[in-house]
């Protein structure tokens, strides 16, 4: 069932990158999170793929959670990515996020082995049994290797109490529409495919989970507001303006491109963690053009 907490998670949910020094540069992370919240985003989601969760040690995970929630200071909801290849570590992370004050957790079912639907279901059930805050089920087979069908997602929503929302990142609008159809409109879905954002919002997405506000927060917020107000002409113009940047950051890898963009905007935040590499000079030149005038 949709909880009061999950109901308030809407709009532009920004994914901050994770700055590194010898470990986590907590001061720089706090500054970035404050910058995003002050810009007007509706939620913060640390530790997705943008935040390089897969490359963090457990103390680093904890530091990002604590720093982010402290910097947000209750101004907007915080949805913490807690995904791992094991159920046990995912539960540890989910429990830590809840204890630290997260409003919800986001879970991507990551596995070396191909998971059967019953295994995915049990993974989410075990996590749900361990915490009491809402879970955002995150479907992104391109990165996880696991593809959750609308039927499975709705079944988990109906049978696991705190599976309360879905982030759908396949870029397939029909899946979002199928989730709405199967759940009778009760299961909120969030768009995780940047280039699909306008169509997804028009189809009823509750929000847009995106790294783009790190670089251009206002047009993202304006796009969401325009769709909600029914001003689709304005929304189309905003989308057409954003689209080249959205396509660039997705194609070039979100941590790599967003960190380069922040540097170009005068907010240096360091390089991504190996094996990721900084954006090359050709990419930086193209990105500089896309950010001109920002």
């Amino acid at each position: 069932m949709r909880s009061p907490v999950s109901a308030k998670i809407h709009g532009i949910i920004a994914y901050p990158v994770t700055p590194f020094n010898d470990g986590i540069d907590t001061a720089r992370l706090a500054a970035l999170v404050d910058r995003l919240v002050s810009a007007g985003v509706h939620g913060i989601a640390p530790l997705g793929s943008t935040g390089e969760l897969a490359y963090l040690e457990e103390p680093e995970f904890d530091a990002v959670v604590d720093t982010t929630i402290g910097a947000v200071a209750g101004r907007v909801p915080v949805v913490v990515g807690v995904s791992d290849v094991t159920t046990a570590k995912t539960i540890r992370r989910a429990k830590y996020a809840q204890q630290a004050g997260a409003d919800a957790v986001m879970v991507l079912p990551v596995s070396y082995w191909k998971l059967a639907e019953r295994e995915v279901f049990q993974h989410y059930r075990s996590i749900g049994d361990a915490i009491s805050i809402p879970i955002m089920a995150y479907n992104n087979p391109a990165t996880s290797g696991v593809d959750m069908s609308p039927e499975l997602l709705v079944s988990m929503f109906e049978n696991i109490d705190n599976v309360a929302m879905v982030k759908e990142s396949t870029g397939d609008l029909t899946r979002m529409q199928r989730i709405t159809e199967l759940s009778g409109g009760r299961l909120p879905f969030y768009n995780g495919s940047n280039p699909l954002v306008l169509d997804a919002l028009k189809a009823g997405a509750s929000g847009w989970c995106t790294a783009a506000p790190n670089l251009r927060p206002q047009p993202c917020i304006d796009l969401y507001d325009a769709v909600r107000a029914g001003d689709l002409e304005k929304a189309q113009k905003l989308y057409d303006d954003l689209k080249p940047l959205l396509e660039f950051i997705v194609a070039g890898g979100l941590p790599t491109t967003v960190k380069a963009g922040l540097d170009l905007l005068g907010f240096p935040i360091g390089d991504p963690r190996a094996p990721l590499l900084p954006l090359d000079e050709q990419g930086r030149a193209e990105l500089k053009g896309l950010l001109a005038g920002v």
Side-chain angles (χ1 to χ4, degrees):
M1 296 177 64
R2 192 176 187 186
S3 72
V5 172
S6 62
K8 73 177 183 178
I9 298 172
H10 72 96
I12 303 303
I13 302 168
Y15 282 64
V17 291
T18 300
F20 301 112
N21 43 36
D22 292 335
I24 305 298
D25 187 339
T26 55
R28 204 60 176 152
L29 175 59
L32 175 61
V33 170
D34 183 69
R35 174 185 170 108
L36 288 165
V37 176
S38 298
V41 301
H42 305 99
I44 296 290
L47 298 168
S49 52
T50 301
E52 300 178 71
L53 172 60
Y55 304 137
L56 302 189
E57 302 296 332
E58 292 307 282
E60 294 177 324
F61 170 91
D62 296 351
V64 171
V65 172
D66 292 338
T67 301
T68 302
I69 291 173
V72 169
R75 290 175 288 174
V76 296
V78 177
V79 183
V80 175
V82 299
S83 311
D84 187 74
V85 294
T86 69
T87 300
K89 190 180 286 186
T90 306
I91 287 173
R92 190 213 75 83
R93 290 174 169 179
K95 290 172 73 173
Y96 189 91
Q98 175 173 296
Q99 180 182 3
D103 295 280
V105 296
M106 181 177 67
V107 177
L108 178 73
V110 184
S111 181
Y112 178 87
W113 298 103
K114 181 177 175 60
L115 298 179
E117 286 198 351
R118 68 187 184 91
E119 293 168 321
V120 174
F121 189 99
Q122 185 57 49
H123 180 63
Y124 278 91
R125 168 157 279 170
S126 297
I127 299 162
D129 287 345
I131 61 174
S132 58
I133 58 177
I135 296 170
M136 177 183 284
Y138 177 18
N139 190 44
N140 191 351
T143 57
S144 71
V146 178
D147 190 2
M148 295 185 287
S149 68
E151 288 77 10
L152 174 60
L153 290 165
V154 172
S155 176
M156 292 195 302
F157 168 68
E158 291 176 340
N159 293 284
I160 303 172
D161 285 345
N162 44 352
V163 172
M165 45 196 157
V166 171
K167 177 186 173 186
E168 173 55 61
S169 296
T170 59
D172 182 351
L173 186 64
T174 62
R175 286 174 175 249
M176 301 179 188
Q177 294 167 330
R178 181 68 172 155
I179 288 168
T180 298
E181 176 187 347
L182 289 170
S183 70
R186 294 178 300 122
L187 174 54
F189 68 88
Y190 298 74
N191 175 61
S193 172
N194 282 313
L196 189 69
V197 56
L198 179 56
D199 287 339
L201 290 174
K202 286 162 61 176
S206 295
W208 176 19
C209 301
T210 176
N214 287 281
L215 305 179
R216 295 196 65 191
Q218 197 60 53
C220 297
I221 296 165
D222 291 345
L223 172 58
Y224 174 73
D225 288 343
V227 174
R228 290 192 76 189
D231 191 345
L232 298 185
E233 182 178 354
K234 179 180 179 181
Q236 185 68 56
K237 290 178 180 177
L238 287 161
Y239 173 73
D240 290 343
D241 177 57
L242 275 170
K243 185 179 179 182
L245 177 64
L246 298 178
E247 292 177 340
F248 181 88
I249 63 175
V250 171
L254 295 172
T256 297
T257 55
V258 170
K259 286 185 171 181
L262 284 167
D263 184 55
L264 290 167
L265 292 173
F267 192 88
I269 205 149
D271 295 332
R273 179 168 279 179
L276 299 179
L277 292 174
L279 191 63
D280 60 25
E281 288 306 312
Q282 180 179 347
R284 283 179 67 90
E286 184 177 351
L287 182 54
K288 185 176 182 179
L290 292 170
L291 295 174
V294 174

